[in-house]
Amino acid sequence: MSVAPRWFPRRERATAIRLVTLANLVGTAIGMVLPTALVDAHGPGVIGPLQLGIGMAALVAGIAYPLLVTDRPAGVPVDLTERELETHGMRHALSVGPFRRYLLAIFIGMGVFKGITQWVADIVAPRGFSATDAGNVGAAMLLGGVIGSVSLSAWSDRLDRRVPFLVAGLALAAPAVVGVALASSLAGLLGAAFLLGFCLVSLMPIGMQYAAEVTWPTPEGTSNGLVQLCGQAAVVYVALLYALRAPDGSYWPGLVLSAVLLLGGALRFARTPESHEHHARATTSSMSPSGTSPSGPSPSSTGPGASLQG
């Protein structure tokens, strides 16, 4: 994720990150559909060669990437200050209040998404839906995620705003979770799943760009690494949903709790400033009585917003 801020101007970075997210979703969708189709066509014996082929392709890609892709555009010198910050950036990032709020939001959002993806068949089975219906629910979530990542990231870049999209995503995901938990018709269930994927998956590319901006001068690789770590740690939510099942085996208690947490996260994040507002406040509070900052140039002149002039 550190490639995007080094290769793209600020108004294009969320779009660049969304393409990475999109590639992840498309790969997941192919992984869900392709093995089943191949087994149906050629039998279980195709799984071994398929895994070998995927492994070899991953090995070739892993070797080719560092040979073909540069860290930054040609001719751009390495910033020694940036290298220095890599060792201290984590402490600085975690000291930024808006960044900590985003980490909480991504933990809840990705936890809910992963939990529903993991248990989707068990979630819909008590209402009479089949395994095929459960597969369609997963596909609807992925489709919503692809469309949300593509459209909302581009919109966020055009408006140069992140917070409204993150708040709306969390808030709208709450009724979508309730729909997945309680919908009695297949159309309602698929609609709720689509909305859920649309809202939650789009939090990642927009939020990762927000994290990079609000934690400046922490290197983007450090801040986005913390975001990825928090998203991966959200796997504990999968176990939580299982533990909160009702006596009849349904998952509605955990899903209703998820909706409440999503709404709470939206309300909490609604008071979070945009990155340029946060840096302006921080700069103002650090100004000396003479009107100059004792810590050197302000983020507004050298930070993320400076790339708007490029």
Side-chain angles (χ1 to χ4, degrees):
M1 293 302 176
S2 61
V3 173
R6 293 174 180 174
W7 276 86
F8 298 94
R10 186 167 181 254
R11 287 187 181 272
E12 297 177 4
R13 291 176 188 170
T15 301
I17 297 173
R18 80 148 191 246
L19 295 176
V20 177
T21 304
L22 178 62
N24 191 357
L25 291 173
V26 171
T28 301
I30 292 175
M32 293 175 64
V33 174
L34 183 61
T36 302
L38 290 176
V39 169
D40 290 343
H42 304 288
V46 76
I47 293 297
L50 176 64
Q51 290 179 323
L52 179 61
I54 292 173
M56 293 299 297
L59 177 62
V60 171
I63 295 173
Y65 185 87
L67 297 177
L68 301 177
V69 179
T70 58
D71 190 43
R72 61 183 71 231
V76 177
V78 174
D79 188 347
L80 296 179
T81 303
E82 177 184 309
R83 292 301 187 199
E84 233 174 76
L85 281 168
E86 288 181 358
T87 59
H88 305 288
M90 186 178 300
R91 181 183 303 176
H92 171 261
L94 293 176
S95 71
V96 177
F99 179 67
R100 294 197 302 270
R101 294 179 195 175
Y102 174 67
L103 289 182
L104 177 62
I106 206 67
F107 179 84
I108 296 172
M110 289 297 101
V112 172
F113 184 83
K114 290 179 178 181
I116 293 179
T117 303
Q118 175 69 31
W119 303 118
V120 60
D122 295 334
I123 289 172
V124 302
R127 282 167 282 160
F129 295 108
S130 66
T132 300
D133 295 332
N136 290 333
V137 169
M141 289 178 63
L142 290 173
L143 177 62
V146 169
I147 295 176
S149 295
V150 170
S151 59
L152 296 185
S153 297
W155 193 9
S156 173
D157 276 338
R158 282 198 299 269
L159 297 179
D160 194 24
R161 292 181 65 88
R162 317 295 182 197
V163 173
F165 293 91
L166 297 172
V167 172
L170 290 168
L172 292 176
V177 171
V178 174
V180 171
L182 303 177
S184 57
S185 68
L186 182 59
L189 182 62
L190 294 177
F194 178 90
L195 178 61
L196 185 63
F198 185 91
C199 294
L200 288 186
V201 176
S202 61
L203 292 179
M204 185 62 82
I206 296 174
M208 292 185 80
Q209 179 55 29
Y210 176 78
E213 294 168 1
V214 81
T215 58
W216 184 91
T218 294
E220 290 84 354
T222 301
S223 60
N224 286 335
L226 289 171
V227 173
Q228 293 279 15
L229 177 62
C230 193
Q232 293 300 320
V235 71
V236 301
Y237 211 90
V238 175
L240 178 63
L241 283 182
Y242 185 83
L244 292 178
R245 290 177 304 162
D248 63 354
S250 62
Y251 282 74
W252 70 263
L255 293 177
V256 171
L257 173 62
S258 300
V260 172
L261 291 175
L262 288 167
L263 281 177
L267 293 174
R268 175 67 173 162
F269 209 80
R271 299 192 295 272
T272 301
E274 294 286 348
S275 58
H276 60 275
E277 296 170 348
H278 167 75
H279 288 304
R281 295 176 188 176
T283 302
T284 301
S285 64
S286 65
M287 294 285 282
S288 66
S290 61
T292 59
S293 172
S295 58
S298 67
S300 60
S301 62
T302 61
S307 62
L308 289 173
Q309 305 301 324

